[in-house]
Amino acid sequence: MDITLFSTNKEANFLQQYSNQIKINGLAAIDMQSTNQPQNSHTSTSRSSGSSEPCPAGTKWASRLLMECARAVSEKDSSKINHLLWMLNELASPYGDCEQKLASYFLQALFCKATDSGLRCYKTLTSVAEKSHSFDSARKLILKFQEVSPWTTFGHVASNGAILEALDGETKLHIIDISNTLCTQWPTLLEALATRNDETPHLKLTVVVTANIVKSVMKEIGQRMEKFARLMGVPFEINVISGLNNLGELTKEDLGVQEDEAIAVNCIGALRRIEVEERGAVIRMFQSLRPRVVTVVEEEADLFSSSVNHDFVKCFEECLRFYTLYFDMLEESFFPTSNERLMLERECSRSIVRVLGCDHHDHDDKNGGGECERRERGSQWSERLKEAFSPIGFSDDVVDDVKALLKRYRSGWGLVLPPQGEDIDQTGVYLTWKEEPVVWASIWKPSN
């Protein structure tokens, strides 16, 4: 996951107020939106359990209730929506077990969808989180997440290996980093460059920032990267491009590409943030840079197809499937009382509201809706990328590095390679959690 915004007690207070809103006047708002039929009055006291014990087998109630509510929202059945939202609000808690947490965050999105309040809620959640954004909190959270889970480090290791192989022997390197991982990928690459047998190359790193990251944070990151590069003895410069509403605004001229540079484009969790209509144009812009290699890492979920068909239930089901896996991973990776785990879950709550609670037109930056969250599966991204690029397989050395990385973590993680054979039309490698693919990594070169 991209770590860009972090939660505080203020956000917890907002969530509590939001729960109260559901109890007091939320159901009335739903009735006004759909029908004028009278509603029963409910008084509730939301259960807030401090337990985070794993859910016993046979108690997976959240998915069933949430899907039933999603169907009711899709059908605009106000009486059923009222009943199910009330039930979910009684059972849900952001501080409870895994089922209670799923119910809490998806309940929020369902309420937003039913009352057409998604964009307002998303803006408020984002604004509250931005106020607590600091380099210290970002660094600690990212390092802890990388310590307990390969969710992000998998893509770093796979991409770094591919970039180093593609640019081997070059003396002037230019890496265009389009991700929101705050440069945590690059120290290991600098170390690798410093130990090359031939002359140490000059590295220019251009970081494209589209998230709401405070400028002082990026300045601090740049200074630390420069200091580390000096320590490693690698000639280095870093440029930051910020202020973009979305990647569709990025141009070749912005990147300052020089003719004598060997270029690599690194996209980690970036393509899904591009508006669907602009994805082809951005990929063609990458092609115009004539890069030696393009690395793409994306989370494995299809939140695109159902949005095109305006199928809310199907989109909800896929979103629930993906975040159930993610929450399960967090539960088994962090201690129950971990503050970092709570921060990551809160970040998910904003994304869930973004995908499910906001209509498609709300994703327009002119409406203040921020970035798109329409994930696609690796096979879908491959179809888009093949219009301008050709896939490259990962070398045995890179695959071995990824396998070695996964051995550092708890059991449950795996690596799936594409089947061998000339007729196989599958690209990239997959990180799996409990045999379910969760992250896709791939390498591309410009088509001849």
Side-chain angles (χ1 to χ4, degrees):
M1 300 293 287
D2 292 329
I3 317 301
T4 55
L5 298 173
F6 310 100
S7 307
T8 64
N9 290 331
K10 290 182 180 179
E11 186 168 347
N13 292 336
F14 173 76
L15 290 171
Q16 183 59 49
Q17 293 168 7
Y18 201 88
S19 178
N20 293 336
Q21 184 184 3
I22 294 176
K23 299 172 194 173
I24 297 169
N25 60 10
L27 303 181
I30 294 169
D31 272 343
M32 291 173 66
Q33 290 248 325
S34 52
T35 69
N36 293 321
Q37 62 188 12
Q39 68 174 61
N40 295 327
S41 174
H42 297 286
T43 302
S44 99
T45 54
S46 180
R47 186 173 77 179
S48 179
S49 167
S51 169
S52 290
E53 293 299 316
C55 301
T59 62
K60 303 291 186 182
W61 53 267
S63 295
R64 179 178 58 81
L65 282 179
L66 288 167
M67 283 303 305
E68 194 174 346
C69 192
R71 284 188 283 269
V73 170
S74 179
E75 295 165 2
K76 294 181 168 41
D77 185 340
S78 66
S79 60
K80 195 171 184 180
I81 295 170
N82 291 346
H83 175 66
L84 290 168
L85 285 181
W86 182 84
M87 284 183 63
L88 285 165
N89 193 55
E90 287 292 301
L91 295 168
S93 169
Y95 306 104
D97 62 27
C98 56
E99 292 294 289
Q100 288 175 297
K101 288 183 176 184
L102 277 172
S104 176
Y105 294 129
F106 277 88
L107 164 64
Q108 188 178 30
L110 285 167
F111 177 76
C112 288
K113 179 69 174 178
T115 59
D116 198 25
S117 60
L119 185 57
R120 183 172 68 253
C121 175
Y122 177 78
K123 286 181 177 179
T124 304
L125 287 171
T126 302
S127 176
V128 170
E130 282 177 352
K131 291 176 181 177
S132 66
H133 200 191
S134 70
F135 174 75
D136 236 17
S137 62
R139 183 178 61 84
K140 289 177 182 177
L141 180 59
I142 289 174
L143 292 178
K144 184 62 179 177
F145 190 37
Q146 293 179 350
E147 177 188 330
V148 302
S149 168
W151 194 281
T152 57
T153 51
F154 160 76
H156 292 182
V157 171
S159 297
N160 280 355
I163 290 170
L164 286 167
E165 290 180 349
L167 304 185
D168 186 35
E170 299 292 341
T171 57
K172 291 188 69 176
L173 315 182
H174 186 177
I175 297 177
I176 298 167
D177 180 26
I178 307 176
S179 63
N180 290 327
T181 52
L182 305 184
C183 294
T184 53
Q185 176 177 349
W186 305 120
T188 53
L189 184 133
L190 284 168
E191 287 186 78
L193 291 177
T195 57
R196 278 192 2 180
N197 294 327
D198 52 358
E199 180 184 352
T200 303
H202 177 278
L203 172 61
K204 179 165 72 175
L205 180 64
T206 297
V207 182
V208 181
V209 178
T210 59
N212 296 311
I213 299 176
V214 180
K215 287 185 178 180
S216 60
V217 172
M218 287 310 303
K219 183 178 179 181
E220 175 78 13
I221 291 170
Q223 291 172 346
R224 293 196 176 210
M225 288 291 297
E226 289 170 343
K227 182 178 179 180
F228 186 76
R230 285 196 299 271
L231 182 65
M232 291 290 102
V234 177
F236 178 78
E237 66 176 290
I238 182 170
N239 301 309
V240 177
I241 298 174
S242 59
L244 300 176
N245 289 317
N246 59 70
L247 284 176
E249 299 177 0
L250 186 66
T251 66
K252 180 178 180 180
E253 291 68 32
D254 293 331
L255 299 169
V257 172
Q258 303 296 319
E259 288 293 329
D260 59 346
E261 295 173 339
I263 297 166
V265 178
N266 181 71
C267 300
I268 295 190
L271 296 186
R272 69 169 179 266
R273 298 179 180 275
I274 306 170
E275 291 296 330
V276 173
E277 299 80 7
E278 298 176 348
R279 290 176 179 178
V282 172
I283 290 171
R284 288 190 293 274
M285 189 274 287
F286 291 162
Q287 182 188 38
S288 72
L289 301 174
R290 293 185 293 174
R292 299 293 178 85
V293 66
V294 175
T295 52
V296 176
V297 179
E298 286 290 340
E299 293 168 344
E300 182 70 359
D302 179 10
L303 301 178
F304 163 72
S305 300
S306 53
S307 68
V308 172
N309 299 324
H310 304 289
D311 189 340
F312 175 73
V313 174
K314 185 176 180 182
C315 183
F316 187 93
E317 184 177 22
E318 175 67 356
C319 193
L320 181 60
R321 179 201 66 81
F322 175 77
Y323 281 108
T324 298
L325 285 170
Y326 186 72
F327 274 57
D328 179 67
M329 177 273 297
L330 291 180
E331 183 171 47
E332 295 199 21
S333 300
F334 287 94
F335 289 113
T337 56
S338 167
N339 192 46
E340 292 87 359
R341 173 182 167 186
L342 182 60
M343 289 180 177
L344 290 164
E345 289 169 347
R346 291 276 173 77
E347 186 200 4
C348 291
S349 76
R350 291 187 289 274
S351 295
I352 292 167
V353 168
R354 188 79 183 97
V355 172
L356 299 175
C358 301
D359 289 333
H360 180 68
H361 68 268
D362 289 336
H363 291 267
D364 188 345
D365 292 298
K366 294 177 182 178
N367 293 326
E371 295 173 325
C372 182
E373 285 280 355
R374 294 298 176 193
R375 291 168 173 80
E376 298 188 59
R377 293 184 181 271
S379 57
Q380 294 167 300
W381 288 120
S382 292
E383 290 303 309
R384 292 187 184 275
L385 288 160
K386 284 176 181 176
E387 295 179 6
F389 295 95
S390 299
I392 309 173
F394 284 94
S395 70
D396 292 341
D397 288 342
V398 174
V399 170
D400 288 344
D401 287 343
V402 172
K403 288 180 178 178
L405 170 78
L406 299 186
K407 289 179 181 178
R408 292 165 37 191
Y409 296 96
R410 62 174 297 118
S411 61
W413 295 104
L415 178 68
V416 172
L417 304 175
Q420 300 298 312
E422 294 182 2
D423 297 329
I424 300 298
D425 191 29
Q426 185 174 332
T427 58
V429 296
Y430 291 87
L431 174 69
T432 63
W433 170 248
K434 295 183 177 179
E435 301 184 349
E436 291 289 334
V438 290
V439 182
W440 173 72
S442 61
I443 325 170
W444 303 84
K445 65 180 181 179
S447 300
N448 294 329

